[in-house]
């Protein structure tokens, strides 16, 4: 099968497995797993922050970061199609006691002035806004990259919103893709946000792992919250070693995934389901509203021909390129999907 459902389906490379097998380990709950400690320091430095903390999942990392930014009963503003709102099982409310309000679903094309108009100040009769969250790259925005100028303006909005400013969180699960696509240094992104979550198990190909990046004080608090919700880990250096290997070997090659995604988009453009110019990173969203197929039907038929894709919404399918697919795979997938779209 050619698996294009997500970039989370990758398997560790031989070099990554070797790094995992030879990792020096300790007990991370006590803070003495040397491989984890080194990874955390390395990632914090990449983003120009003081500290970082390793997590078993991106959802846990995001939700702990939000609790660092928003008090129980406080409000978070995010996009209506943001991962922290749509794909994390209501954890902001259920675990963090966070009230969430959203701006319209526009993917990476957010308007900071719209966000600014939504902010509720402290003392307002309703719940005051305490933080803003953005997603880089944007999943339901088709891997779209939020422009650096937009992020700068959003940071200005957050700073001006109250005497102490609002916290700005980045769900940076695929920020590595934005870094490669727009050539924005990671530390430049880091300067804009009080907290970031970054994932090692999506485009970079590690089997597990995300990190929260922030100040030393916030990361100390994050360690307590992580333990409280069951995220304390022991000899986790075997996983941290995979993440470090991914950072050393798999960031620059993301450009190959971007090129392959564009290749699929070019193949499928004649069927009116995608604009290749909108494909910036490793995701291709197929808009099936003008076809006779819905997303589950297309996905089921593609599977019969050896291609796996994701049905995201009733008429929206997603194709994701990654470490485990090559040019031959994407050409075959494009041929299969093109034939299915043509047949209707």
């Amino acid at each position: 099968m050619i698996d294009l459902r997500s970039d989370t389906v990758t398997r560790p490379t031989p070099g990554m497995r070797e790094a995992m097998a030879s990792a020096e380990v300790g007990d991370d709950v006590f803070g003495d797993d040397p491989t984890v400690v080194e990874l955390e320091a390395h990632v914090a430095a990449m983003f120009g922050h003081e500290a970082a903390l390793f997590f078993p999942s991106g959802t846990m990392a995001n939700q702990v970061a939000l609790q660092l930014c928003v008090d129980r009963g406080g409000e978070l503003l995010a996009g209506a199609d943001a991962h922290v709102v749509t794909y994390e099982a209501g954890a902001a409310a259920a675990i963090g006691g966070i009230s969430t309000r959203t701006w319209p679903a526009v993917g990476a094309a957010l308007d900071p002035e719209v966000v600014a108009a939504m902010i509720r100040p402290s003392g307002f009769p309703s719940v005051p806004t305490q933080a803003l969250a953005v997603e880089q790259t944007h999943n339901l925005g088709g891997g779209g990259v939020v422009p650096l100028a937009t992020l700068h303006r959003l940071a200005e909005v957050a700073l001006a919103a109250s005497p102490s400013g609002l916290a700005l969180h980045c769900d940076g699960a695929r920020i590595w893709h934005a870094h490669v696509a727009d050539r924005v240094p990671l530390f430049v992104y880091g300067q804009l946000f009080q907290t970031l979550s970054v994932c090692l198990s999506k485009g970079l190909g590690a089997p597990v792992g995300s990190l929260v990046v922030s100040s030393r004080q916030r990361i100390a608090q994050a360690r307590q919250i992580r333990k409280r919700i069951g995220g304390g880990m022991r000899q986790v250096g075997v996983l941290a070693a995979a993440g470090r290997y991914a950072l050393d070997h798999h960031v620059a090659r993301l450009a190959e995934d971007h090129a392959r995604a564009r290749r699929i988009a070019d193949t499928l453009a004649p069927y009116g389901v995608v604009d290749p110019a909108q494909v910036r990173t490793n995701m291709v969203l197929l808009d099936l509203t003008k076809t006779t197929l819905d997303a589950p039907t297309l996905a089921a038929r593609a599977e019969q021909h050896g291609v796996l894709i994701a049905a995201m919404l009733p008429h929206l399918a997603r194709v994701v390129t990654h470490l485990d697919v090559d040019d031959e795979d994407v050409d075959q997938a494009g041929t299969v999907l093109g034939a299915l779209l043509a047949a209707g």
Side-chain angles (χ1 to χ4, degrees):
M1 300 294 282
I2 300 170
D3 196 341
L4 300 172
R5 292 172 299 171
S6 176
D7 48 8
T8 60
V9 302
T10 58
R11 293 169 174 82
T13 63
M16 185 180 288
R17 289 181 183 273
E18 183 178 343
M20 295 170 71
S22 61
E24 185 180 359
V25 299
D27 188 322
D28 187 50
V29 170
F30 290 117
D32 61 12
D33 187 307
T35 306
V36 175
V37 170
E38 195 278 333
L39 174 68
E40 291 169 342
H42 179 69
V43 173
M46 292 176 80
F47 288 91
H49 274 272
E50 293 180 329
L53 185 65
F54 188 65
F55 284 82
S57 76
T59 291
M60 185 182 286
N62 264 334
Q63 293 303 321
V64 170
L66 294 182
Q67 291 182 54
L68 299 178
C69 297
V70 185
D71 299 328
R72 296 190 70 83
E75 181 181 77
L76 170 75
L77 289 184
D81 50 3
H83 195 281
V84 296
V85 173
T86 58
Y87 289 124
E88 299 190 2
I95 298 175
I98 296 170
S99 176
T100 303
R101 197 157 46 96
T102 60
W103 59 78
V106 291
L110 65 93
D111 184 344
E113 308 314 316
V114 171
V115 177
M118 294 179 64
I119 293 171
R120 291 170 173 160
S122 179
F124 197 82
S126 301
V127 180
T129 306
Q130 294 186 344
L132 313 176
V134 295
E135 192 172 326
Q136 183 75 308
T137 62
H138 201 291
N139 182 8
L140 280 181
V145 181
V146 183
L148 184 59
T150 299
L151 295 176
H152 274 296
R153 177 59 188 139
L154 198 63
E156 293 172 351
V157 166
L159 184 62
S162 73
S164 58
L166 303 182
L168 189 57
H169 170 66
C170 178
D171 174 1
R174 295 181 176 90
I175 199 167
W176 323 103
H177 291 276
H179 161 64
V180 169
D182 277 6
R183 300 184 180 180
V184 175
L186 294 170
F187 76 87
V188 172
Y189 283 134
Q191 290 172 347
L192 295 168
F193 299 98
Q194 282 67 56
T195 59
L196 303 94
S197 66
V198 299
C199 187
L200 306 172
S201 64
K202 293 187 172 67
L204 298 190
V208 168
S210 290
L211 295 99
V212 171
V213 183
S214 191
S215 67
R216 192 171 288 110
Q217 180 180 0
R218 280 196 171 103
I219 292 302
Q221 182 184 357
R223 185 176 292 275
Q224 291 182 320
I225 300 172
R226 186 187 69 173
K227 176 65 174 176
R228 183 180 301 135
I229 60 177
M233 299 170 286
R234 302 298 180 176
Q235 288 72 37
V236 75
V238 292
L239 298 176
R244 182 56 198 265
Y245 183 92
L247 289 172
D248 290 343
H249 296 88
H250 294 166
V251 175
R253 65 150 306 281
L254 293 175
E256 300 173 21
D257 296 340
H258 300 176
R260 287 173 179 141
R262 182 62 180 264
R263 191 164 173 162
I264 291 176
D266 286 338
T267 298
L268 301 182
Y271 304 99
V273 295
V274 62
D275 176 3
Q278 299 301 311
V279 177
R280 297 287 322 284
T281 57
N282 68 324
M283 292 188 183
V284 183
L285 293 187
L286 305 180
D287 179 0
L288 303 175
T289 55
K290 296 181 181 179
T291 74
T292 59
L293 295 171
D294 59 26
T297 299
L298 179 62
R301 292 180 181 176
E303 184 174 1
Q304 293 173 356
H305 293 274
V307 177
L308 296 176
I309 64 173
M312 302 296 287
L313 296 171
H315 292 92
L316 185 72
R318 188 184 72 174
V319 173
V320 185
T321 54
H322 52 76
L323 181 66
D324 284 4
V325 295
D326 57 20
D327 289 339
E328 183 178 350
D329 292 329
V330 299
D331 287 345
Q332 174 63 16
T335 298
V336 167
L337 293 171
L340 293 173
L341 290 166

